[in-house]
C-alpha cells in the first residue's frame, strides 16, 4: 500500500509542477510586461541652511517596465526623483539622480542620471520700487502724481542672482485712463542691462499704486 502511494505521489507532484509552469507561461504570454516613461519633478533633499541649490533641472524622465495592470494605474505622483546633497558645502557639485517607485516595477533608465549644480548662499537685499508708466492716458489727461506702497521690496535667493538685480520696476499701464485709479502690480526685477531677473523670492509680491490724473495737462 505504501509503495503504491509513493508510486502515485511522484506523477501527481510532477503534474502539479507542470501545470504551474504552464500557468506562468500562459500568464506571461497573455499579459507581457510593458514599458512607460514618466516626467516627474526633480527634488533636492537635505540642503543645509542657509544654502540653496541653483542650476537644478526642474524634471527628470524615468523609464519603467512592469505588468500592464500596474503600469495602467501609475501616475507621476507614484514616482519620485531626487538628488541628496547632505553634507555638501557652498560651490559646484555633481550628484546622482535617485528614483523611487512602487514595488513590482523595474527601473530601466533615469534621464539625466547625474546632474551638475551649484550650492549658493541665500541672501536678501532691499531695493526701491520704481514706477514705470506705460502707454498714454486719455486725450487732455495727464498723470499728476503717482505713489506706491510699500516704497521698497525685498528680494531673496541665491547670492549670485540677488547680486545681479539692479532695479525693481513697477509697470503701470495708462491705457487711455481719464481719472484717478489704484492698482496692485507685481514688481519686475531687472539687471543692469534691463533684462528680467528670475528665480528669486520677492516680497511683497504686489505693490499698491495710486495714480492721480488731471485734466488739461500735457503728457
Amino acid at each position: 500500500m505504501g509503495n503504491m502511494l509513493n508510486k502515485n505521489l511522484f506523477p501527481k507532484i510532477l503534474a502539479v509542477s507542470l501545470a504551474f509552469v504552464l500557468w506562468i507561461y500562459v500568464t506571461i504570454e497573455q499579459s507581457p510586461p510593458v514599458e512607460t516613461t514618466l516626467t516627474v519633478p526633480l527634488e533636492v533633499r537635505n540642503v543645509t541652511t542657509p544654502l540653496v541649490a541653483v542650476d537644478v533641472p526642474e524634471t527628470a524622465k524615468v523609464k519603467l517596465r512592469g505588468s500592464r495592470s500596474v503600469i495602467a494605474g501609475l501616475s507621476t505622483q507614484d514616482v519620485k526623483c531626487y538628488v541628496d546633497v547632505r553634507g555638501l558645502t557652498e560651490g559646484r557639485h555633481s550628484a546622482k539622480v535617485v528614483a523611487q517607485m512602487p514595488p513590482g516595477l523595474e527601473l530601466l533608465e533615469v534621464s539625466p542620471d547625474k546632474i551638475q549644480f551649484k550650492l549658493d548662499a541665500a541672501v536678501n537685499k532691499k531695493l526701491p520700487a520704481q514706477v514705470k508708466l506705460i502707454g498714454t492716458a486719455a486725450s487732455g489727461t495727464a498723470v499728476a502724481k503717482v505713489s506706491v506702497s510699500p516704497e521698497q521690496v525685498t528680494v531673496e535667493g541665491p547670492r549670485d542672482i540677488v547680486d545681479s538685480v539692479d532695479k525693481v520696476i513697477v509697470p503701470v499701464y495708462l491705457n487711455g485712463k481719464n481719472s484717478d485709479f489704484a492698482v496692485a502690480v507685481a514688481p519686475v526685477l531687472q539687471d543692469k542691462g534691463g533684462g528680467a531677473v528670475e528665480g528669486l523670492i520677492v516680497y511683497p509680491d504686489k505693490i499698491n499704486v495710486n495714480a492721480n490724473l488731471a485734466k488739461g495737462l500735457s503728457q
Side-chain angles (χ1 to χ4, degrees), residues 52-173:
V52 290
V54 184
D55 300 332
V56 177
E58 292 185 2
T59 60
K61 290 186 177 180
V62 182
K63 188 175 182 180
L64 305 166
R65 178 190 289 142
S67 68
R68 189 177 301 275
S69 60
V70 173
I71 293 295
L74 198 62
S75 71
T76 54
Q77 287 75 27
D78 298 322
V79 179
K80 305 293 183 185
C81 278
Y82 68 91
V83 290
D84 191 336
V85 301
R86 185 189 304 273
L88 298 183
T89 57
E90 188 173 350
R92 298 208 68 87
H93 303 277
S94 65
K96 179 179 176 60
V97 177
V98 179
Q100 291 179 328
M101 68 216 72
L105 291 171
E106 178 186 358
L107 177 63
L108 300 178
E109 184 182 359
V110 180
S111 179
D113 62 345
K114 181 179 285 189
I115 63 168
Q116 304 285 331
F117 61 97
K118 182 181 181 182
L119 290 179
D120 204 352
V123 298
N124 65 73
K125 70 177 179 181
K126 294 183 180 297
L127 290 165
Q130 303 180 33
V131 172
K132 181 178 181 180
L133 299 176
I134 301 172
T136 306
S139 178
T141 306
V143 176
K145 179 183 178 183
V146 177
S147 60
V148 296
S149 177
E151 296 181 349
Q152 284 188 328
V153 301
T154 300
V155 295
E156 182 178 284
R159 188 201 312 275
D160 285 353
I161 303 179
V162 170
D163 288 345
S164 72
V165 179
D166 182 59
K167 295 177 181 178
V168 177
I169 301 299
V170 182
V172 177
Y173 294 86

Side-chain angles (χ1 to χ4, degrees), residues 2 14-15 20 27 46 57 68 79 108 131-132 152 164 181 185 193 198 200 202 208 218:
L14 181 60
F20 179 72
T27 300
N46 299 314
R68 189 177 301 275
V79 179
L108 300 178
V131 172
K132 181 178 181 180
Q152 284 188 328
S164 72
F181 65 93
V185 180
E198 299 178 346
L200 297 175
V202 183
N208 296 313
S218 59

Side-chain angles (χ1 to χ4, degrees), residues 168-207:
V168 177
I169 301 299
V170 182
V172 177
Y173 294 86
L174 298 177
N175 299 328
K177 292 185 181 298
N178 59 9
S179 61
D180 298 349
F181 65 93
V183 64
V185 180
V188 177
L189 307 182
Q190 291 185 348
D191 59 22
K192 289 184 178 179
V197 179
E198 299 178 346
L200 297 175
I201 298 171
V202 183
Y203 51 90
D205 59 355
K206 292 288 179 68
I207 301 294

